[in-house]
Amino acid sequence: MRIITIDKNVADAMHQLDPEVLLNKQGRPCLLVLKLRYNGRKQDFAVPFRSNIPPAEQKENYFALPPRHTTRPRHRHGLHFCKIFPIRKKYIQKFYIDNNPGMQRAEKIIQKNEKQIINQAQAYLDKYSLGLRSPYATNIDLLLQYLEDLEQEKVA
């Protein structure tokens, strides 16, 4: 797992298709989780960092990180599994954290809790594939189809 960002054109297109995909403001950081199972297939997924996860959100739907300066009172900052989306390696870009102490601290916490994050993300996807999803969840099937269509365009 590593902290990445997504190609702006692909991220914007995904947001156009599904408004629940978070906007890629200033190269929004995401955590790349490699090879999770979804509908019997292994896929790469990205889990976006989000600074204002609502207080009513169930704990199993996010991994909490220390608050940012933009985090509102009672809200959480962390990895929000409801906003997880599939991605292909060619649309991944490096996210530079060298001059960002908050992201460096988050990276250390993520590295320490890697197994828990993977397990939480997988449990979220398992529930999602059974139809147990939030009305604010991304449409993973639609986004997978978009990525497959994008691959077909490149081949043609």
Side-chain angles (χ1 to χ4, degrees):
M1 288 193 314
R2 66 184 194 269
I3 299 174
I4 53 131
T5 190
I6 306 301
D7 176 273
K8 182 142 177 54
N9 293 329
V10 172
D12 289 348
M14 287 179 150
H15 178 73
Q16 287 289 327
L17 274 176
D18 181 2
E20 292 304 328
V21 174
L22 297 176
L23 281 171
N24 192 7
K25 297 184 235 170
Q26 300 153 356
R28 177 184 292 277
C30 296
L31 181 68
L32 177 65
V33 183
L34 299 173
K35 304 297 179 210
L36 294 173
R37 282 182 326 278
Y38 180 70
N39 286 342
R41 289 175 45 196
K42 295 255 183 177
Q43 303 282 338
D44 293 339
F45 283 90
V47 184
F49 284 76
R50 191 167 183 204
S51 63
N52 284 299
I53 299 170
E57 183 66 79
Q58 296 175 349
K59 178 79 173 119
E60 69 225 22
N61 289 336
Y62 67 92
F63 179 82
L65 293 167
R68 295 182 36 153
H69 67 282
T70 57
T71 306
R72 288 183 239 144
R74 298 185 38 234
H75 286 69
R76 303 279 183 268
H77 173 248
L79 300 167
H80 200 185
F81 300 117
C82 289
K83 302 301 181 181
I84 195 170
F85 58 93
I87 195 63
R88 300 287 192 267
K89 287 183 179 137
K90 63 177 146 189
Y91 305 120
I92 293 170
Q93 298 175 345
K94 183 167 177 50
F95 186 82
Y96 295 94
I97 64 170
D98 299 340
N99 297 326
N100 188 332
M103 286 304 291
Q104 290 172 342
R105 185 174 62 211
E107 183 180 47
K108 286 178 186 170
I109 293 168
I110 288 166
Q111 287 171 347
K112 242 195 245 184
N113 296 283
E114 187 171 336
K115 193 172 223 98
Q116 178 187 348
I117 294 167
I118 290 170
N119 289 339
Q120 272 187 272
Q122 187 61 64
Y124 174 80
L125 288 174
D126 292 344
K127 283 174 51 180
Y128 184 98
S129 64
L130 295 172
L132 305 170
R133 55 187 85 141
S134 160
Y136 305 107
T138 55
N139 186 333
I140 295 172
D141 297 312
L142 177 68
L143 298 172
L144 276 170
Q145 186 60 53
Y146 166 73
L147 290 172
E148 288 173 18
D149 291 348
L150 207 55
E151 296 288 311
Q152 294 303 317
E153 287 176 18
K154 302 277 185 196
V155 172

